[in-house]
Amino acid sequence: MPGTPSIMGLHLRYRLWIAEMNADITILRIFDDYLHELATKRTEPEVKRGIEEFEKEFISLRAEIDELRHQMHIHKMSLAAYARENKPFDQTAYKNGTHAPLKTRYLSYNKNFKRIQKEFGQFEERWLC
């Protein structure tokens, strides 16, 4: 049946999303370094407000990443256990499970991260260059 996910496919999807969020953590750390650099070079009130806003955004994103990674790891491990037991894939259990809400949360997080990444790039380019 086309479009029917497999246990391994879902497991790999979680691994990929977790890897992407790990990379996002690295990006957030670099952005934070930019903020510290900017704070030492610019004292304008607008810059200070921007730094404070981005610091809050980065903390919020990091908390969201940590929670999502944790939930995905748990689900990924349950899929691995399911696969080890050699059970046939249960489409009903999949539909009633946690995958759809996790996917929705991840897509929402990813969209928000990309938006903030773009806004930060514009902010950094305006004030640090």
Side-chain angles (χ1 to χ4, degrees):
M1 179 175 357
T4 301
S6 68
I7 292 172
M8 183 53 73
L10 289 173
H11 186 271
L12 293 172
R13 173 61 49 196
Y14 286 121
R15 285 183 58 200
L16 180 61
W17 286 343
I18 290 167
E20 288 173 1
M21 287 186 286
N22 287 337
D24 292 348
I25 289 170
T26 300
I27 291 169
L28 288 174
R29 288 179 181 147
I30 294 168
F31 285 175
D32 193 54
D33 291 343
Y34 269 108
L35 290 179
H36 290 294
E37 174 72 10
L38 190 55
T40 65
K41 296 194 179 306
R42 305 299 293 252
T43 59
E44 295 92 335
E46 183 180 355
V47 174
K48 288 183 180 187
R49 278 191 306 277
I51 289 171
E52 290 172 3
E53 289 174 21
F54 280 112
E55 285 175 338
K56 289 177 188 174
E57 292 278 5
F58 296 165
I59 289 169
S60 175
L61 282 171
R62 180 57 196 260
E64 189 171 5
I65 288 170
D66 290 345
E67 173 61 23
L68 270 171
R69 284 189 321 165
H70 176 72
Q71 292 299 318
M72 287 181 181
H73 182 72
I74 290 169
H75 198 64
K76 179 178 67 115
M77 292 297 103
S78 71
L79 288 169
Y82 196 80
R84 274 192 305 274
E85 295 170 5
N86 290 322
K87 292 182 180 177
F89 188 72
D90 183 351
Q91 185 68 19
T92 304
Y94 164 73
K95 286 182 180 178
N96 295 331
T98 59
H99 177 70
L102 278 175
K103 180 179 179 180
T104 300
R105 283 180 60 202
Y106 174 77
L107 294 175
S108 175
Y109 151 78
N110 195 35
K111 182 178 177 180
N112 188 39
F113 182 85
K114 288 179 180 180
R115 177 188 59 80
I116 291 170
Q117 187 175 20
K118 180 180 176 183
E119 290 173 3
F120 181 76
Q122 293 167 344
F123 179 78
E124 179 268 333
E125 190 171 302
R126 177 177 178 198
W127 295 106
L128 194 58
C129 295

